[in-house]
Amino acid sequence: ITAALAINGEPLTSATATVTPAAVENYFNIYVSAQVCVPKGCYLTVAMENTSTQAVNFANSNLTVERIA
């Protein structure tokens, strides 16, 4: 199962997590990180995206955005 950080709907290959469950209902913690440059006056949509073919649930997700000037 893979999940990735997506920018404007496009998953980042550099921010992809892969897990291999041993059984149904196994839960995992994943962590991905990316530095994204956003020009002044522009905006981006950031989301976590399921990039595998199996259905997954995201629960208690945290997203930290840090502005570096």
Side-chain angles (χ1 to χ4, degrees):
I1 296 175
T2 58
L5 196 62
I7 305 296
N8 288 337
E10 293 296 322
L12 298 176
T13 56
S14 62
T16 300
T18 303
V19 295
T20 305
V24 176
E25 297 297 323
N26 277 12
Y27 295 97
F28 293 91
N29 292 318
I30 61 171
Y31 171 82
V32 293
S33 176
Q35 186 172 13
V36 179
C37 297
V38 181
K40 183 178 179 179
C42 296
Y43 62 91
L44 297 174
T45 302
V46 180
M48 200 63 197
E49 184 174 304
N50 176 16
T51 54
S52 63
T53 57
Q54 299 171 344
V56 298
N57 293 322
F58 292 103
N60 302 321
S61 299
N62 293 301
L63 177 68
T64 303
V65 177
E66 185 176 333
R67 181 179 180 210
I68 302 171

